[in-house]
Amino acid sequence: MMVENEIQYIPVDQFRQMVPPILGLEVRRLSRWIARQDPDSDIWNQFVKVRYELSRFIACIEASKDLPDCEPFLDAALLNAVTLHDYSGMEYVIDRLRYVRDRIPYTY
C-alpha cells in the first residue's frame, strides 16, 4: 500500500524497459499526425522535431546509455512539444513526456 506522499522510486533497468513502449506510442501518434499535414508548413517541421528528439531519446535509453546522456533529447522533445500545445492530441503527448521526465530523478 502506498502512502499518499510516498515517492515511487524505480530501478533504472525497469525504467529502461518501461520508457520505449510508452514513448513509442507517442512517436506513432506524432507520425500519424505528420502524415496528414502539409509538409511545407512550419507546424509540420515542429512536429517532426518533436518526433525526432523523442526517437533519439528512446534509442539512447535502449542503448543503455547513462540517463544524464539521454535527458537532453527528452528535454528537446518536450520543449518543442510545448510550443504545439494548442493542437489536438498534443496535451496528451506533453503529459506523457512530462511523466517520463518527472520519473528520471527517482531512478536508482
Side-chain angles (χ1 to χ4, degrees):
M1 181 173 183
M2 185 173 126
V3 178
E4 185 175 316
N5 63 353
E6 183 179 334
I7 296 174
Q8 288 294 306
Y9 287 91
I10 182 170
V12 73
D13 291 337
Q14 186 178 352
F15 182 82
R16 288 181 195 289
Q17 260 185 330
M18 172 185 82
V19 167
I22 290 173
L23 295 183
L25 292 171
E26 302 316 316
V27 169
R28 288 189 291 282
R29 183 188 315 272
L30 290 164
S31 294
R32 285 191 304 270
W33 190 93
I34 290 166
R36 294 189 309 262
Q37 303 306 313
D38 177 8
D40 293 328
S41 74
D42 291 335
I43 296 301
W44 185 84
N45 288 331
Q46 195 71 18
F47 275 93
V48 169
K49 285 180 193 176
V50 174
R51 183 182 63 182
Y52 174 71
E53 295 297 345
L54 194 50
S55 296
R56 289 177 69 190
F57 177 72
I58 293 168
C60 187
I61 291 294
E62 290 176 332
S64 296
K65 296 193 177 180
D66 291 335
L67 288 181
D69 294 339
C70 300
E71 286 181 77
F73 303 127
L74 181 58
D75 291 342
L78 187 54
L79 182 63
N80 283 295
V82 169
T83 64
L84 300 167
H85 73 280
D86 289 336
Y87 290 87
S88 178
M90 279 310 292
E91 286 182 27
Y92 186 78
V93 172
I94 293 166
D95 180 60
R96 294 291 85 199
L97 297 179
R98 283 185 176 148
Y99 171 79
V100 170
R101 182 71 181 94
D102 291 347
R103 301 305 309 152
I104 291 173
Y106 302 109
T107 60
Y108 63 93

